[in-house]
């Protein structure tokens, strides 16, 4: 009887171990292309706190504590093992829901790691201390937060979302050998002089590969009007998308409108007069893009709105009237569909609903952190030079936000992979609900990026 019970318990522990592998979004695609050496260390000395302000940034610290002892042998063993602490810094504008969402996303990631007894990197288990600061949409506040993360919190990895304030951060993070991973609206980040700066938000890929997929799906479309705010983000998105459309034989008219204007009726009049079959409003974020669409619709235009960067249908409903939403073709993310499109998205969405009661259109992914995590797990190290080398050499990474890969930005003269590509999804809004109409594989998205981002 004792032998039978022992066999049964052994089998039960084995099953628990196997099942535990499916809880955490896998880095099954976290591969690193061969590399001969880590990127050279910057010769610049450590930078002092170059900019301070009396307005202190708001801070939030999330720490995963070691798991409590359990009655099962497996959980007890991992829970009592000593965990190391890994600090990850985050700066964003918390006035936007996307900024706060990332904090909630990391809370859920931390819960997932806790179930595993810690995040496994090279056979060692880590608790994640996520230190986040609100930049309050102020460059001086953002710089103060950056200096605090580096010189007081001693953080070696920093991420941000889609803030256009990070241009001035790059010399500071570089001089102090801090890996900085941006969301995708900071073109200077691709400069070859930076060894520790990366873009892993996939926004440039979505703005480029999304229009490429649209053109292939709707070959009869020949004319497009692109409407974007006169901002850095607006110009980046418009330039990338327009280049793709022109390269595929479309006639593109770009219109840049004042970002601060509350009356966009003149924009609507311009588009209605041109009367293109397709109009793209992007680069202003959900609220500004929606205001542009409403002004164009109010002017009497009745073509198809197309927006390459993803915006969930639930988020669109908060700012866009149903009649303007209907029929729009928009970039999509795996979690917004029922059921979600990937196993990682299904698991994460279920956890989100269990923790916050309902899903309200959040992106449910943090690609910047996914890139860092998978680089660490691919190299088995938290060393910044090894992680930077992995990111610079075609790392593939994945998480709840989807499958991604680091790609070169030869348009900035750097053959290393400092940018990113991702699998592309397009949806059509039908009666307020997202309907998947097309996808582009990660491999094809990488090919599009490599084809169009070439040395000029």
């Amino acid at each position: 009887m004792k032998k039978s019970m022992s066999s049964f318990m052994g089998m039960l522990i084995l099953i628990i171990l196997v099942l535990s592998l499916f809880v955490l979004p896998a880095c099954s695609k976290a591969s690193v292309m061969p590399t001969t050496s880590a990127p050279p260390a910057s010769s610049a000395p450590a930078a002092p706190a170059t900019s301070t302000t009396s307005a202190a940034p708001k801070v939030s610290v999330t720490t995963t504590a070691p798991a409590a002892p359990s009655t099962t042998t497996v959980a007890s063993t991992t829970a009592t093992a000593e965990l190391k602490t890994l600090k990850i810094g985050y700066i964003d504008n918390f006035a936007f829901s996307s900024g706060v969402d990332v904090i909630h996303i990391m809370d859920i990631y931390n819960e997932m790691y806790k179930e595993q007894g810690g995040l496994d990197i090279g056979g060692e288990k880590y608790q994640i201390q996520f230190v986040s600061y609100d930049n309050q949409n102020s460059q001086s506040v953002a710089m103060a937060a950056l200096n605090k993360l580096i010189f007081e919190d001693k953080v070696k990895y920093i991420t941000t979302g889609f803030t256009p304030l990070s241009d001035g951060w790059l010399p500071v993070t570089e001089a102090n050998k801090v890996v900085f991973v941006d969301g995708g609206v900071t073109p200077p980040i691709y400069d070859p002089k930076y060894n520790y700066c990366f873009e892993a938000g996939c926004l440039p890929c979505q703005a480029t590969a999304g229009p490429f997929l649209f053109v292939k799906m709707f070959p009869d479309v020949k004319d497009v009007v692109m409407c974007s705010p006169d901002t850095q983000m607006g110009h980046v998105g418009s330039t990338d998308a327009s280049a793709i459309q022109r390269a595929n034989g479309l006639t593109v008219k770009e219109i840049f409108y004042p970002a601060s204007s509350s009356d966009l009726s003149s924009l609507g009049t311009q588009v209605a007069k041109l009367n293109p079959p397709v109009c793209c409003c992007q680069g202003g974020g959900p609220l500004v893009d929606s205001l542009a669409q409403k002004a164009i619709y109010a002017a009497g235009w009745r073509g198809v709105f197309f927006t390459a960067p993803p915006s969930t249908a639930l988020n669109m409903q908060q700012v866009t009237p149903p009649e303007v939403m209907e029929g729009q073709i928009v970039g999509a993310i795996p979690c917004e569909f029922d059921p979600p499109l990937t196993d990682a998205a299904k698991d994460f969405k279920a956890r989100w609903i269990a923790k916050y009661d309902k899903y309200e259109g959040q992106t449910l992914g943090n690609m910047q952190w996914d890139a860092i995590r998978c680089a660490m797990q691919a190299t088995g190290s938290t060393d910044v030079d090894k992680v930077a080398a992995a990111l610079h050499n075609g790392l593939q990474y994945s998480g709840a936000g989807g499958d991604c890969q680091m790609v070169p930005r030869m348009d900035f003269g750097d053959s290393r992979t400092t940018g990113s590509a991702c699998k592309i999804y397009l949806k059509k809004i039908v009666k307020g609900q997202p309907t998947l109409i097309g996808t582009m594989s990660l491999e094809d998205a990488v090919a599009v990026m490599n084809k169009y981002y070439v040395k000029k």
Side-chain angles (χ1 to χ4, degrees), residues 313-338:
L314 283 174
N315 278 338
M316 292 173 66
Q317 289 173 1
Q318 297 175 21
V319 294
T320 307
E323 64 274 14
V324 181
M325 276 185 62
E326 189 65 19
Q328 286 199 29
I329 296 175
V330 190
I333 54 177
C335 65
E336 67 176 300
F337 299 92
D338 286 318

Side-chain angles (χ1 to χ4, degrees), residues 115 368 455:
E115 291 176 8
Q368 295 90 316
K455 189 173 182 178

Side-chain angles (χ1 to χ4, degrees), residues 105-126:
I105 288 166
M106 290 304 295
D107 282 342
I108 293 179
Y109 271 129
N110 276 333
E111 292 176 0
M112 297 165 73
Y113 304 148
K114 184 176 180 180
E115 291 176 8
Q116 303 300 312
L119 177 63
D120 192 319
I121 300 173
E124 294 190 90
K125 295 297 183 74
Y126 289 81

Side-chain angles (χ1 to χ4, degrees), residues 10-22 74 78 116:
M11 181 62 71
L12 179 60
I13 292 173
L14 178 60
I15 292 172
I16 293 172
L17 283 169
V18 171
L19 289 176
S20 70
L21 296 176
F22 295 93
V74 174
T78 56
Q116 303 300 312

Side-chain angles (χ1 to χ4, degrees), residues 191-372:
D191 193 312
K193 69 182 179 183
Y194 295 124
N195 295 310
Y196 301 97
C197 300
F198 304 88
E199 172 268 306
C202 287
L203 181 60
C205 177
Q206 291 158 342
T208 303
F212 186 91
L213 176 59
F214 179 88
V215 169
K216 295 301 180 185
M217 292 179 63
F218 301 96
D220 293 336
V221 174
K222 300 300 180 184
D223 300 286
V224 174
V225 168
M226 181 74 63
C227 302
S228 302
D230 192 9
T231 62
Q232 176 177 296
M233 186 182 297
H235 280 272
V236 169
S238 181
T239 298
D240 292 343
S242 298
I244 290 295
Q245 292 164 346
R246 290 190 179 106
N248 284 276
L250 274 69
T251 299
V252 182
K253 170 67 175 178
E254 292 182 85
I255 301 175
F256 293 98
Y257 55 87
S260 59
S261 176
S262 58
D263 182 3
L264 297 179
S265 58
S266 62
L267 171 66
T269 301
Q270 289 183 70
V271 175
K273 184 176 180 179
L274 292 169
N275 196 29
V278 175
C279 180
C280 303
C281 296
Q282 62 186 59
L287 178 58
V288 175
D289 291 342
S290 175
L291 291 175
Q293 290 177 350
K294 286 191 282 188
I296 294 168
Y297 188 89
W301 181 78
R302 292 297 182 268
V304 174
F305 282 117
F306 167 58
T307 307
S311 181
T312 65
L314 283 174
N315 278 338
M316 292 173 66
Q317 289 173 1
Q318 297 175 21
V319 294
T320 307
E323 64 274 14
V324 181
M325 276 185 62
E326 189 65 19
Q328 286 199 29
I329 296 175
V330 190
I333 54 177
C335 65
E336 67 176 300
F337 299 92
D338 286 318
L341 303 179
T342 67
D343 289 339
K346 290 176 185 177
D347 178 50
F348 205 95
K349 186 174 181 178
R351 290 172 179 272
W352 181 280
I353 293 173
K355 186 175 180 68
Y356 299 110
D357 296 329
K358 59 182 178 179
Y359 169 69
E360 297 178 300
Q362 292 79 10
T363 58
L364 299 190
N366 185 352
M367 293 175 177
Q368 295 90 316
W369 163 241
D370 288 332
I372 294 172

Side-chain angles (χ1 to χ4, degrees), residues 94-143:
F94 295 169
F96 293 138
S97 60
S98 58
V100 178
D101 286 347
V102 170
I103 297 176
H104 294 159
I105 288 166
M106 290 304 295
D107 282 342
I108 293 179
Y109 271 129
N110 276 333
E111 292 176 0
M112 297 165 73
Y113 304 148
K114 184 176 180 180
E115 291 176 8
Q116 303 300 312
L119 177 63
D120 192 319
I121 300 173
E124 294 190 90
K125 295 297 183 74
Y126 289 81
Q127 59 180 349
I128 305 301
Q129 187 177 4
F130 194 61
V131 186
S132 58
Y133 290 98
D134 183 358
N135 66 32
Q136 301 173 37
N137 200 33
S138 165
Q139 181 65 278
S140 61
V141 174
M143 285 300 299

